[in-house]
Amino acid sequence: MGAIMSMLKGANLPVSAPAVRVELGWGSGPGVPDVDASALLLVSGKVRSDADFVFYNQPEHTSGAVRHEGKRSGGNGFTDTLAVDLTRVEPTVERIVLAASADGGTFGRVPELRVRVLDAGAGTEIARYESQDASVETAFVLGELYRRQGQWKFRAVGQGYDSGLAGLATDFGISVDEPAGPPAPPAPAAPPAPPVPPPAAAPAYPPAPPSPAPAATPASPPTAPPTPPTAPVRLSKVTLTKETPSVSLAKQGGTSGIMRVNLSWRSRKQLKGWGARLGSAFAAQSELDLDLCALYELTDGRKGVVQALGNAFGALDRPPYIHLDGDDRTGGSDSGENLTVNLDHKDRLRRLVIFVTIYEGASSFADLDATVTLQPQHGAPIDFSLGECTVPSTVCSLALITNTGSDLVVQREARFLVPERGVSPQRTIDYAYGWGMNWTPGRK
């Protein structure tokens, strides 16, 4: 079956699948800004509360109907994905706006900007819209899912905003808490193009017409709106790089609650093939098993490891205050591998090395594309990619978290290590960071 042609602005298509994946995609290249997907659940054209905004800092709606799954890179571009379970969307929600925002530049510098709607079960493409006329915009409504006569549909929108994610969100009724400070320096000028007029307070495109009133049925209790968050939405985020490899958790507001550490991966070879075009992450990595692990040292001197080997999954409510959620054998699931740190006991942690090992299915990290995200319960998410592996490595240190006495500092490591003959990956990490533990063989 050939690829679906791009829709024209204003065109719509029926969506019969009960659940869909909305994939925002764009090309890579010099000077291309980072792009993020988001969704707004609307009633009468506005959100009911800030909880109706789903994005990188608020990744799941309270109903469970919409979830931000995060970014992937591969081939010549990137994708950022939203999962939408249409069967769980509350009856009062009429539209789900699907938006994109550019961080550090305008959409005039973003090549191949597109949105695809995929059947979450079959993986087949239902609809596609490709933007062709972006210039000075820093936010876009690319499409929307809406109800019409009891049927869900997708409409291609293509409405641009020059006020960024904050402006777009505010127009739909979100209260935004932007951190104080000087504005970011302007990005290099986009290629010449006709200027886009700023939008009105409400979106310029017409809303979907309301569905006719249904036949009389027994009344059911009204659905209670989600409870609004206690503070305005924060749009800040942190990406660690070789040039800026560390960040303070305290400065980002991440001083309490839990912090989830997520590792997701897929094969670069697979990304270039048929599976990537359909959004499938299973064909080339079904036998690959990576293990997310952590070496810890507590302030009382105790040291240990949290890992799947030996069922050393740790605990959150007692030492080491670190817990491995499970053992994902593919990395292509919605959640990847997750490790949780209890920041309410951060004063008990002296240092922590988060690392990943290859348990089976590959001889090195070459041709794997992996992303690490640290999401504090309170504070901005911290993410980074591992980059390309050029050595025969079976173990990679991801991040070093150090207690400075007044703060926890996260340091991007991304060190691909090569174990000596007969030396385990865990012992290799131990040697590299001077933990000094005794190791014995383990199984899972």
Side-chain angles (χ1 to χ4, degrees):
M1 182 177 67
I4 292 178
M5 293 185 63
S6 178
M7 299 169 64
L8 298 176
K9 284 186 182 182
N12 63 78
L13 288 172
V15 177
S16 58
V20 297
R21 290 168 60 85
V22 179
E23 185 181 90
L24 171 68
W26 66 98
S28 60
V32 175
D34 192 21
V35 178
D36 296 291
S38 58
L40 298 105
L41 288 75
L42 305 185
V43 176
S44 300
K46 295 285 186 178
V47 299
R48 296 162 295 178
S49 75
D50 292 348
D52 283 341
F53 185 28
V54 177
F55 69 120
Y56 48 80
N57 272 5
Q58 195 163 271
E60 186 165 1
H61 191 257
T62 52
S63 67
V66 183
R67 184 177 67 252
H68 180 250
E69 293 190 340
K71 293 180 185 174
R72 302 276 191 175
S73 63
N76 296 318
F78 304 87
T79 59
D80 197 9
T81 303
L82 297 160
V84 183
D85 185 344
L86 296 172
T87 66
R88 299 179 68 178
V89 178
E90 297 147 299
T92 54
V93 174
E94 301 155 355
R95 287 192 288 154
I96 302 174
V97 168
L98 307 169
S101 55
D103 185 11
T106 67
F107 276 108
R109 302 188 64 84
V110 178
E112 303 172 39
L113 179 64
R114 62 196 180 275
V115 63
R116 301 196 305 153
V117 180
L118 308 171
D119 185 319
T124 53
E125 186 175 282
I126 298 171
R128 170 192 291 258
Y129 170 65
E130 298 171 347
S131 174
Q132 303 288 345
D133 53 0
S135 66
V136 300
E137 304 90 346
T138 49
F140 250 102
V141 174
L142 289 169
E144 65 177 5
L145 294 162
Y146 68 97
R147 300 183 200 257
R148 178 69 188 275
Q149 297 180 347
Q151 167 72 51
W152 281 100
K153 289 191 169 187
F154 171 77
R155 184 199 306 274
V157 176
Q159 170 70 44
Y161 289 70
D162 61 5
S163 51
L165 183 59
L168 182 149
T170 301
D171 279 350
F172 286 103
I174 298 292
S175 55
V176 174
D177 177 21
E178 287 284 34
V196 176
Y205 61 91
S211 301
T217 56
S220 58
T223 302
T227 302
T230 56
V233 170
R234 294 187 60 180
L235 301 183
S236 57
K237 63 176 181 175
V238 177
T239 298
L240 300 182
T241 64
K242 291 181 180 179
E243 293 72 27
T244 55
S246 63
V247 65
S248 157
L249 280 182
K251 289 181 180 178
Q252 298 303 319
T255 57
S256 62
I258 64 170
M259 178 174 68
R260 293 180 66 82
V261 181
N262 172 263
L263 171 70
S264 61
W265 67 89
R266 63 169 63 176
S267 165
R268 287 192 177 94
K269 290 180 179 178
Q270 184 266 335
L271 280 166
K272 296 176 183 177
W274 176 86
R277 292 194 294 273
L278 291 185
S280 170
F282 302 107
Q285 54 186 37
S286 58
E287 298 179 358
L288 175 64
D289 183 10
L290 303 187
D291 283 346
L292 184 63
C293 314
L295 281 179
Y296 64 83
E297 181 181 3
L298 304 181
T299 52
D300 62 9
R302 281 183 287 177
K303 298 177 181 178
V305 64
V306 174
Q307 61 180 4
L309 282 176
N311 294 320
F313 288 95
L316 282 181
D317 58 351
R318 60 185 185 276
Y321 309 109
I322 304 160
H323 182 253
L324 180 64
D325 294 6
D327 183 24
D328 177 18
R329 299 296 180 99
T330 68
S333 69
D334 291 342
S335 58
E337 288 227 346
N338 293 279
L339 184 145
T340 307
V341 181
N342 189 343
L343 296 180
D344 289 337
H345 295 277
K346 62 183 181 298
D347 293 340
R348 305 286 297 277
L349 300 173
R350 178 170 291 163
R351 56 178 179 153
L352 174 66
V353 173
I354 301 168
F355 65 100
V356 58
T357 68
I358 297 176
Y359 184 71
E360 61 182 12
S363 58
S364 80
F365 286 105
D367 292 321
L368 290 182
D369 181 75
T371 302
V372 181
T373 303
L374 291 82
Q375 176 65 72
Q377 184 175 347
H378 308 289
I382 302 163
D383 61 28
F384 59 89
S385 63
L386 294 188
E388 187 172 358
C389 175
T390 58
V391 294
S393 170
T394 56
V395 58
C396 177
S397 60
L398 307 179
L400 172 65
I401 303 176
T402 306
N403 188 338
T404 65
S406 58
D407 191 9
L408 288 181
V409 174
V410 178
Q411 172 85 24
R412 176 188 185 269
E413 295 292 290
R415 293 175 58 188
F416 294 102
L417 304 176
V418 181
E420 297 180 4
R421 186 177 182 85
V423 177
S424 70
Q426 289 83 354
R427 194 186 296 266
T428 300
I429 286 285
D430 184 316
Y431 289 168
Y433 289 89
W435 236 256
M437 291 171 55
N438 295 319
W439 296 91
T440 57
R443 300 185 65 183
K444 63 177 180 178

